[in-house]
Structure formats: structure tokens, C-alpha cells
Amino acid sequence: MRNVAIVILVSTIALASCGTPDHTRHARWNPNGAPRDENWHSPNAKLLKYDANHDGILTRAELIAGLKAEFDAYDTNHKNCLSPDQVRAINQLRVQQDASEATPLVDWNQNGCVDFKEYSATLLSLFDALDKNGDGQLTPDELNPKPSRPTGRTPGAGSGGQGGHGHHRGGGGEGGGDPGGE
């Protein structure tokens, strides 16, 4: 019986802590807080800011030059190395600007600084993944690929023959109604 009382007490305290005002818990989701921006934005659009000649085609050279200019602007000590304090400030700025889409800088080799290779790795990797033909440039088609249609029956297509695989969803149209009668 005593264990039950302890569990109830701990549960009550835990539930009471859930009512902490939102301004004291910035990192946690609050169902009563302001709604978040749930709209999905393509990370590919961020790459276009590096399109130096604004022709809609991003070359790898343009991306590297843009990233190098950004890195140099942050590298105020001119050591080709961003200190942990500089990295923390950049990451905070990225979160403020990009919210859930922010890509934090990480000192992957844990040597106490973020060098240009670490600084540029994420966007260069994204560039390489999008450059399907490997020509060193991203065209509008590569930056904004058309969604592929799933194979099989397209929505709105008429009935024709085989059906009946048990995968039809929705109400209305063919297949709905009384399965055993007419």
C-alpha cells in the first residue's frame, strides 16, 4: 500500500511539472504554446543562394566559392578554424533563421575547431546527392525534381478487369457497399 502512495505522489509531482510556463522551457514542445511552422521547405532552395550569376544553375565551383566566403567572414581570427564559441554562435543563428531545418556545425574530428572541410561538408554532400548526372552543376530539374508517380492504378482510373486485391481504400466508387449482396 505504501508503494502505491509513493507512485501516486511521484506521478502527481511529474504531472504538476508539466504545467511549467512555456517561457521557462524553450526546448520542449508545449501543446498549449504557439503553433510551429509545420510547412515543409525544400533544403534545395537554400543552395540557390550560392548561385553567383543568378542563372538558376548552381555549379560546384559557385557553391565552394560561396561557402568559402561565408567561412572566411566567420573566421575573424584568420586561423582557418572556427572556435567552439564561434561555432556555438553560428549554430544559434542558424536555428533562429532556419528553425527545424537548421543544420548545425559539428567538430567531427574533435580537434577543438571547425575547419572549412567540416563547415562545408553538409551542403557539398547535398550537392553531390542532387547532381544525378555528375556534371558538377545543378539544373532547375535537379534542384526541384518532379515527384514520381507510384506504379499501379492511378486515382480516377476506370475499373478494368483484375482489381480485388484488397488494397482499395476510401468510401464510394466501386468496391464499396455490401460485400455479400447487391
Side-chain angles (χ1 to χ4, degrees):
M1 186 69 167
R2 182 180 173 146
N3 290 341
V4 173
I6 291 172
V7 170
I8 291 172
L9 178 63
V10 170
S11 298
T12 303
I13 292 170
L15 286 173
S17 69
C18 291
T20 304
D22 190 41
H23 67 275
T24 62
R25 295 181 299 132
H26 294 287
R28 297 191 179 189
W29 178 74
N30 180 351
N32 299 320
R36 300 180 306 177
D37 180 9
E38 297 290 340
N39 295 320
W40 182 80
H41 304 282
S42 170
N44 306 351
K46 290 181 186 180
L47 288 172
L48 279 177
K49 80 177 188 177
Y50 300 102
D51 180 14
N53 61 3
H54 307 289
D55 64 352
I57 297 173
L58 177 65
T59 66
R60 188 174 179 83
E62 286 176 317
L63 178 58
I64 291 171
L67 288 169
K68 187 68 175 145
E70 276 182 2
F71 181 84
D72 290 344
Y74 288 127
D75 183 20
T76 56
N77 300 330
H78 308 292
K79 294 181 180 180
N80 294 320
C81 171
L82 301 176
S83 71
D85 289 336
Q86 290 170 312
V87 169
R88 200 171 301 109
I90 294 167
N91 285 339
Q92 287 175 351
L93 180 64
R94 287 181 172 193
V95 168
Q96 287 173 353
Q97 292 174 342
D98 299 331
S100 65
E101 296 175 10
T103 53
L105 294 176
V106 176
D107 180 13
W108 291 110
N109 60 10
Q110 298 181 358
N111 65 350
C113 84
V114 170
D115 60 17
F116 180 71
K117 184 176 180 182
E118 291 167 315
Y119 182 85
S120 61
T122 301
L123 287 181
L124 287 174
S125 178
L126 177 60
F127 183 97
D128 292 342
L130 293 173
D131 187 14
K132 298 293 185 195
N133 61 5
D135 65 353
Q137 62 182 14
L138 297 179
T139 62
D141 287 338
E142 289 172 310
L143 284 165
N144 299 303
K146 305 289 185 265
S148 60
R149 289 192 155 244
T151 58
R153 218 169 104 179
T154 58
S159 68
Q162 301 200 352
H165 293 287
H167 299 298
H168 178 75
R169 294 179 64 166
E174 50 191 73
D178 182 16
E182 298 188 299

